[in-house]
Amino acid sequence: MDIEDLAERILSGERRALARGITLVESGRADHRSMARDLIDRLRCAGREAMRIGLSGTPGVGKSTFIESFGMMLVAQGLRVAVLAVDPSSARSGGSILGDKTRMERLSRHPGAFIRPSPSQTHLGGVARRTREAIDLCEAAGFDVVLIETVGVGQSETVVAEMSDLFMLLLAPAGGDELQGVKRGIMEAADMILVNKADGDLKSAATRTCADYAGALRLLRKRAQDPEGFPKALTVSAALENGLDSAWAEMRALQAWRRENGHFARRRAEQARFWFEAEVREGLLARLRREPVKGAMAAFAARVEAGEITAAAAADELLATYLGESLPA
Ligand code: GDP
């Protein structure tokens, strides 16, 4: 594969090249990894930047409906929109439940949009790296907005929050006592809460839920990266396409304020550091699962079980042998 040619075609916005590039970064093959690294290095030089918007919400809150309506609004304004998904459950089901093109029919047919189903991977670390690299590719291909969707289960929200400029939490109207259902961590990560389905019979419940969350957000935190009045909770109706323009206006206002005040660059820098540290941890864990460490661990474990050596001493010895040796003096 000619990586230089692929990079040029991605930079010129060719969608098939972008899709091929993403397939390359998703591959686990060692030769593909080094080609992917080469590709990303070439694309980074272009220095293009998209607004990265993370979107999380439990199944059924209306993520795909929202992305379709919101995405259609953006492409109608002449913006180019890419949609990626982080789907930890695809590892279990063996297939993708997110990013499925049939869920976003109008958007997937629009020439200004690019929708990529989530890769099925065995662990979140792998999905995270591939998604980050796919974001890089979409930015290089000149997309203005990259939407990264995830179901709000387990750690996937954290993963998406750590690769987004703006992290949105999509909620459905609820009875008053359901506030606790949202984990504190995800509330803290949210830059904006959107209460969907604010239409028909659900409208007043949505308004109430929105007020509850607005109150909870105010109590929960005041971060340096939030201007006065943020984080906000808003009501939207993805189905009726209500409130999407105000949500977009709020996102742009927040993004603009953060840019002016240095928080945008700082957040990206902190995210780069977060992913570096995560990659180091992943790399170390991967080495533990490979020979010769794997065999040595089994041997030490047998001695620990037999009471010949303590757990702590065995761990120290193993780490000193296998980690100490390969580190530069
Ligand atoms: P996802 O699982 O989060 O992607 O949710 P979907 O977008 O598939 O929507 C789940 C259900 O909620 C579907 O039956 C949608 O038609 C419905 N839905 C989505 N958005 C709205 C909305 O704004 N208002 C109403 N009333 N229903 C909606």
Side-chain angles (χ1 to χ4, degrees):
M1 198 184 301
D2 183 348
I3 297 299
E4 190 179 348
D5 177 60
L6 185 62
E8 261 164 37
R9 290 196 289 129
I10 290 174
L11 287 169
S12 70
E14 215 184 286
R15 306 155 61 93
R16 277 182 48 205
L18 174 61
R20 269 189 71 196
I22 295 180
T23 303
L24 182 65
V25 302
E26 282 173 358
S27 167
R29 267 174 51 180
D31 56 333
H32 286 170
R33 279 307 313 153
S34 72
M35 284 194 274
R37 223 167 273 142
D38 181 17
L39 177 66
I40 287 165
D41 276 345
R42 288 171 192 274
L43 297 176
R44 273 166 63 91
C45 304
R48 290 187 184 155
E49 215 167 65
M51 193 196 273
R52 305 172 182 177
I53 303 175
L55 182 75
S56 176
T58 48
V61 303
K63 289 181 299 300
S64 20
T65 312
F66 177 84
I67 291 174
E68 166 109 323
S69 304
F70 188 69
M72 286 305 290
M73 179 188 77
L74 298 182
V75 293
Q77 294 175 14
L79 296 169
R80 296 180 69 216
V81 179
V83 181
L84 305 170
V86 172
D87 177 12
S89 62
S90 66
R92 249 172 291 138
S93 63
S96 162
I97 56 160
L98 287 176
D100 183 351
K101 287 188 187 181
T102 59
R103 293 185 315 144
M104 301 162 199
E105 233 177 288
R106 284 182 302 150
L107 192 62
S108 66
R109 281 199 307 264
H110 196 285
F114 176 86
I115 298 180
R116 180 75 180 188
S118 68
S120 52
Q121 281 296 326
T122 46
H123 62 102
L124 204 50
V127 175
R129 178 195 287 163
R130 284 158 184 79
T131 309
R132 270 173 8 247
E133 292 176 344
I135 294 172
D136 288 344
L137 264 56
C138 292
E139 287 195 325
F143 283 90
D144 302 291
V145 174
V146 181
L147 284 166
I148 311 126
E149 175 194 13
T150 190
V151 247
V153 291
Q155 291 179 295
S156 67
E157 316 90 314
T158 317
V159 166
V160 170
E162 287 292 345
M163 49 180 80
S164 313
D165 299 321
L166 299 174
F167 182 62
M168 307 286 132
L169 179 58
L170 198 66
L171 298 172
D177 55 346
E178 286 183 39
L179 241 171
Q180 296 91 327
V182 178
K183 281 172 282 158
R184 193 189 168 99
I186 188 171
M187 287 278 283
E188 281 168 347
D191 291 304
M192 212 181 283
I193 284 180
L194 302 174
V195 182
N196 190 32
K197 308 194 184 182
D199 50 47
D201 293 346
L202 292 170
K203 189 161 186 176
S204 60
T207 309
R208 231 177 13 250
T209 303
C210 184
D212 287 347
Y213 279 101
L217 283 172
R218 270 194 299 276
L219 283 179
L220 197 62
R221 64 150 197 245
K222 177 81 194 107
R223 298 186 309 191
Q225 52 174 304
D226 296 326
E228 202 49 47
F230 281 90
K232 275 191 184 165
L234 306 172
T235 55
V236 295
S237 166
L240 300 187
E241 304 182 9
N242 283 339
L244 304 180
D245 45 355
S246 1
W248 175 232
E250 297 289 1
M251 290 179 210
R252 277 183 319 186
L254 178 56
Q255 179 87 330
W257 185 89
R258 284 187 181 162
R259 269 187 192 284
E260 279 161 29
N261 291 278
H263 295 294
F264 171 81
R266 196 168 312 133
R267 179 163 168 147
R268 284 212 174 178
E270 282 168 5
Q271 288 176 342
R273 181 198 185 94
F274 174 92
W275 289 115
F276 159 68
E277 290 173 356
E279 289 273 350
V280 171
R281 278 193 301 275
E282 277 285 319
L284 283 176
L285 287 176
R287 281 183 53 195
L288 294 186
R289 290 189 291 260
R290 276 200 308 265
E291 296 300 351
V293 190
K294 193 176 156 200
M297 259 181 94
F300 269 113
R303 290 177 58 204
V304 172
E305 279 183 25
E308 291 167 21
I309 183 170
T310 67
D316 279 348
E317 204 173 309
L318 181 118
L319 290 175
T321 308
Y322 292 99
L323 209 54
E325 252 178 19
S326 57
L327 289 176

